[in-house]
Amino acid sequence: MIKLVIDMEGSDFGNKETTKACLEFVKDYKDVKLILVGKTSEFKDEFVNYSDNIEFVDAQEIVPMEVSPLKLLRNTESSMVKGLNKVKQDDLDGFVTAGSSGGFITGSTLILNRMKNIQRAAFCAPFVTKIKDKQTVILDIGASNENTPEELVGFALMGSAYAKTVLNIENPSVYLLSNGSEKGKGLKNIVEAYDLLENEKAINFKGNCEAREALDGTHDVIVTPGFEGNIFLKATEGASKMMNDLIKESFKRSLFSKIGYLFARKSFKVMKDTLNYKKTGGAILLGIKKVCVKAHGNSDSYAFYHAIRVAYLMAKNNIVEKIEEMFDEHDGER
Amino acid sequence: MIKLVIDMEGSDFGNKETTKACLEFVKDYKDVKLILVGKTSEFKDEFVNYSDNIEFVDAQEIVPMEVSPLKLLRNTESSMVKGLNKVKQDDLDGFVTAGSSGGFITGSTLILNRMKNIQRAAFCAPFVTKIKDKQTVILDIGASNENTPEELVGFALMGSAYAKTVLNIENPSVYLLSNGSEKGKGLKNIVEAYDLLENEKAINFKGNCEAREALDGTHDVIVTPGFEGNIFLKATEGASKMMNDLIKESFKRSLFSKIGYLFARKSFKVMKDTLNYKKTGGAILLGIKKVCVKAHGNSDSYAFYHAIRVAYLMAKNNIVEKIEEMFDEHDGER
């Protein structure tokens, strides 16, 4: 039985969409127990038929979006902190939230702790690409600001393990995000990480990748320091949103364009499906002793369902053990 | 008379599109002299009616896309190096090329030299935004990798001068690209630059800007270290290209979607115009004693015309002197 703690609050929609998602999930997966943390009186009744798969923990408070580590840890009545403590105390498999990213990263690291041998946890997002259903794993996208070359090697190992375990890619290709594809391009830590990765037998290292090509669907894992990963993530989101808004405006502009939309609608749905990031299930904190998944703050039940699904797959496939094994091998090599 | 040296070669299309662009330009602007450097025998005849506005310098070689500084400077028969030397020797106003970016940055810096008081030149691109005809100036996008806080302040001054002089924005708003909007977010050099910029009277500093909002049309100038600027530039290009490809595929997918295109075509043309980066005229190297403009390698005559136009406007409005004045004031304040 996979046991996951779910933070029911902290999403932009309160516990409405998270409740729907959890209900769907326990209908679809029988070997799972979800421990729901939040304002339980508001959603308890929905789960009467699933008492074998559901447990409740009451928590009345919600961690604010911007929160300092100290304030977070003091907020012991919040659904996030109560949830993380529950995972730790009962030695459960993982934690899923749509709440504050900062709170999630700090809380997971401080309460659940890093795996042995891991210097830094990485915030890792599977990105949708130009190719339908092909995801590219990019890490770190903002758990750190700066990272040492050794930390970048750690990210490569963890990203590789994730791509193998959850995305079922046999020998995932690993790239470094840089400002040129040639060896020697980029910041000092990236140039040094290149040298280390070339000699890392556990990894199928392919060299540098430029931001322009990152989402063309030909890369499995892309490694970057956190600050640059965050710029990449948000630049991509911003440009995609701009294009999306302009497409909508274009179809709405005139009577003719509206008619055009009626004809092209079905075809544009394929594009929408290709770019449907909701299926990726949000971002993952890799390097922590338990599975930790962060859904988008504005997740609807579909997106949140997929966040739970990612956590379930990670736990089911023993990703924590797999990463530990990779690091053991890596250290053995030295 | 504004005197600009034009590198006729080095574009992906040889001298074909550059010739067309120069012809158009001397038809439209009478107070300009263009000194055309390249395989002159191939395009000389086109300009017989414009002998007052045109001069020729023969150069048979082309700088390759990837070139080391040493190799560049030794390539004295190339159109780029000959062109830059011509600007220097005859004290002309500026230089325009569609050739190698690396060669352009190195060559401009080493042959034409930086202005006094400028620690670092910045590669600066005006980006199209969600709002039609509103450009946002972002620098540095890759002349440097890392930059000190003081260099970032210099970029802010130069970007401000460019926005005032060429884009006619009276009191341009200036932002720092970071991973959060609050003060204190980001890499050490960005946090330190924030403090310096808050006290910089010559600049209308507005704080941090996240990559997600950068192109929403509400920012005039955004300052970033070169490596992160390059990631931003290429992530934006990559995402826009992906969306563009998917739009095209969507319209081509079925008979219905093709009919839809016929109806919506006119409306989508407005979107295309909004995103038409060709009007921005490529990128500019700010901080050099002469005007230096780099058109995209794949510029057609329209894009190259606009690159010449940006150089013309910069020279006509004495941007070099304006930047020097800003730096003098800035130093006086200290």
Side-chain angles (χ1 to χ4, degrees), chain A residues 74-325:
Chain A
R74 280 185 183 158
N75 206 339
T76 47
E77 290 308 304
S78 65
S79 54
M80 190 181 276
V81 175
K82 264 201 165 170
L84 286 165
N85 280 326
K86 178 80 181 166
V87 177
K88 188 181 171 98
Q89 280 152 20
D90 295 0
D91 195 18
L92 307 174
D93 296 306
F95 179 70
V96 181
T97 183
S100 155
S101 290
F104 167 74
I105 294 170
T106 319
S108 305
T109 312
L110 295 180
I111 296 171
L112 301 178
N113 299 321
R114 284 195 299 275
M115 296 175 200
K116 64 168 182 163
N117 298 332
I118 302 263
Q119 299 173 1
R120 282 275 193 160
F123 206 29
C124 161
F127 281 68
V128 295
T129 69
K130 207 187 146 184
I131 295 169
K132 195 162 181 283
D133 295 330
K134 166 69 194 170
Q135 295 178 16
T136 294
V137 177
I138 305 188
L139 71 172
D140 173 49
I141 55 162
S144 308
N145 268 342
E146 292 179 84
N147 295 102
T148 65
E150 290 76 18
E151 285 168 2
L152 294 174
V153 173
F155 296 172
L157 289 163
M158 295 195 290
S160 236
Y162 180 85
K164 276 185 203 169
T165 311
V166 179
L167 304 180
N168 291 315
I169 301 167
E170 206 179 312
N171 188 23
S173 58
V174 176
Y175 295 81
L176 275 168
L177 185 67
S178 194
N179 58 351
S181 52
E182 311 83 19
K183 185 174 172 170
K185 284 271 187 181
L187 299 175
K188 197 165 163 278
N189 52 345
I190 292 166
V191 174
E192 288 177 20
Y194 196 113
D195 286 334
L196 296 176
L197 285 167
E198 275 190 316
N199 295 310
E200 188 61 61
K201 280 170 205 147
I203 289 171
N204 178 18
F205 180 59
K206 296 282 204 179
N208 286 343
C209 156
E210 290 196 68
R212 201 186 276 127
E213 281 84 41
L215 302 182
D216 65 7
T218 67
H219 308 78
D220 295 322
V221 178
I222 299 176
V223 170
T224 163
F227 185 77
E228 288 76 17
N230 196 264
I231 299 278
F232 175 83
L233 166 76
K234 288 174 182 165
T236 302
E237 283 181 357
S240 306
K241 188 177 180 309
M242 173 165 88
M243 297 291 283
N244 240 327
D245 290 351
L246 289 170
I247 293 171
K248 277 185 201 161
E249 276 172 35
S250 297
F251 273 129
K252 279 184 189 160
R253 191 163 283 119
S254 69
L255 179 62
F256 283 109
S257 63
K258 283 175 190 163
I259 296 171
Y261 176 67
L262 295 179
F263 278 101
R265 186 170 49 179
K266 235 185 170 170
S267 177
F268 269 81
K269 203 171 162 300
V270 182
M271 170 172 173
K272 217 178 148 187
D273 281 349
T274 305
L275 298 177
N276 187 359
Y277 67 86
K278 287 178 183 172
K279 261 193 272 184
T280 65
I284 300 131
L285 194 61
L286 288 175
I288 303 295
K289 279 187 183 161
K290 300 290 178 181
V291 167
C292 298
V293 175
K294 162 79 180 79
H296 280 257
N298 66 354
S299 291
D300 56 16
S301 63
Y302 178 86
F304 200 74
Y305 175 99
H306 279 277
I308 303 173
R309 188 170 168 272
V310 164
Y312 170 83
L313 289 173
M314 288 170 75
K316 185 100 180 162
N317 290 294
N318 301 311
I319 183 136
V320 172
E321 289 72 23
K322 295 254 169 71
I323 290 178
E324 278 178 343
E325 278 166 27

